[in-house]
């Protein structure tokens, strides 16, 4: 049997949320235009019965269901977290695409149940980390991202200008012992905000 689990996580919530929205749009376009088979669950409040109802319900007039579980790491109920982890490989998930979305993983604060769940999810073929972009990578991302995904051309231009200025700071810091903290404001100026 084949089931699909997706895991999007990381500090760059803008890009991970964008990816999540792309998955939902693709699902609605290709599988369920009505949206009747899309369920979004608040992971912080998720209970075992709520999880079971979401993944156990058969698709309605479609081939599959899409279940989004957001911020599960904030759930304080160990039984719920262990239940979700235990049932990720259930055959009944064949008709369900389950997407887990998390902000930056909490690391040291994580409980054993959260760590176990995330270690399992990170092994999925469709697990993707969204780390914060570096000052060098941010403008590259902004330039190659389709215009429709950004608010406007002005944002692209602003990101590009800010990245050029940041590159100057980084170059000076590396090559001339330049103190970035003291001089960053003078190079970026108050008029160049993103």
């Amino acid at each position: 049997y084949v089931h699909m689990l997706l895991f999007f996580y990381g500090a760059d919530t803008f890009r991970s949320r964008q990816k999540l929205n792309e998955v939902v749009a693709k699902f609605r376009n290709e599988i369920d235009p009505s949206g009747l088979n899309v369920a979004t669950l608040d992971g912080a409040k998720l209970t075992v019965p709520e999880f079971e109802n979401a993944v156990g319900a058969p698709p309605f007039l479609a081939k599959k269901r899409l279940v989004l579980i957001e911020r599960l790491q904030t759930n304080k109920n160990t039984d719920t977290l262990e239940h979700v982890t235990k049932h990720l490989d259930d055959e009944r998930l064949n008709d369900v695409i389950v997407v887990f979305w998390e902000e930056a993983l909490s690391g040291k604060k994580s409980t054993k149940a959260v760590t176990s769940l995330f270690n399992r999810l990170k092994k999925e073929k469709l697990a993707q980390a969204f780390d914060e972009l570096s000052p060098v990578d941010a403008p590259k991302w902004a330039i190659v991202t389709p215009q429709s995904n950004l608010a406007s051309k002005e944002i692209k231009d602003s990101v590009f200008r800010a990245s050029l200025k940041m590159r100057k700071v980084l170059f000076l810091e590396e090559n001339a012992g330049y103190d970035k903290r003291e001089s960053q404001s003078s190079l970026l100026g108050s008029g160049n905000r993103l």
Side-chain angles (χ1 to χ4, degrees):
Y1 63 92
V2 176
H3 63 274
M4 188 179 284
L5 298 174
L6 294 87
F7 183 36
F8 304 137
Y9 63 97
D12 189 344
T13 58
F14 179 83
R15 288 187 307 127
S16 66
R17 179 65 68 180
Q18 197 173 37
K19 183 68 172 179
L20 181 67
N21 292 338
E22 288 172 12
V23 169
V24 173
K26 184 174 181 176
F27 181 83
R28 290 191 65 170
N29 287 337
E30 296 178 9
I31 297 174
D32 182 32
S34 70
L36 295 173
N37 292 291
V38 178
T40 301
L41 306 176
D42 180 356
K45 299 174 184 173
L46 186 67
T47 63
V48 170
E50 187 179 20
F51 174 77
E52 287 298 318
N53 288 339
V55 300
F60 182 72
L61 301 175
K63 294 182 273 183
K64 293 202 176 268
R65 287 182 40 79
L66 178 65
V67 176
L68 312 170
I69 303 175
E70 300 183 2
R71 296 182 180 95
L72 188 57
Q73 73 176 330
T74 60
N75 192 307
K76 304 294 184 212
N77 188 326
T78 303
D79 292 338
T80 298
L81 295 168
E82 290 174 350
H83 181 84
V84 170
T85 305
K86 181 180 177 184
H87 294 282
L88 290 177
D89 293 315
D90 282 2
E91 191 171 322
R92 66 194 165 111
L93 293 181
N94 289 351
D95 295 332
V96 183
I97 299 168
V98 183
V99 182
F100 293 88
W101 182 88
E102 293 291 336
E103 295 173 345
L105 301 180
S106 57
K108 293 180 183 178
K109 297 179 189 176
S110 293
T111 64
K112 183 180 176 184
V114 169
T115 302
S116 176
L117 173 63
F118 289 164
N119 286 341
R120 167 63 181 82
L121 288 172
K122 284 179 184 178
K123 293 177 184 176
E124 285 297 318
K125 184 170 62 172
L126 299 174
Q128 187 172 356
F130 291 87
D131 298 324
E132 287 183 350
L133 294 174
S134 72
V136 174
D137 291 334
K140 291 178 189 172
W141 171 82
I143 290 169
V144 298
T145 300
Q147 180 99 8
S148 62
N149 291 338
L150 294 175
S152 68
K153 182 182 182 317
E154 289 79 24
I155 290 177
K156 271 188 183 179
D157 292 343
S158 179
V159 168
F160 183 72
R161 284 191 308 276
S163 72
L164 288 177
K165 290 178 182 180
M166 184 54 76
R167 287 181 188 188
K168 290 177 189 177
V169 170
L170 294 172
F171 176 80
L172 289 171
E173 186 179 55
E174 290 175 13
N175 296 302
Y178 185 73
D179 187 353
K180 177 173 66 174
R181 292 171 300 206
E182 292 177 16
S183 302
Q184 198 170 31
S185 61
S186 65
L187 277 176
L188 294 176
S190 60
N192 293 327
R193 297 181 192 188
L194 292 178

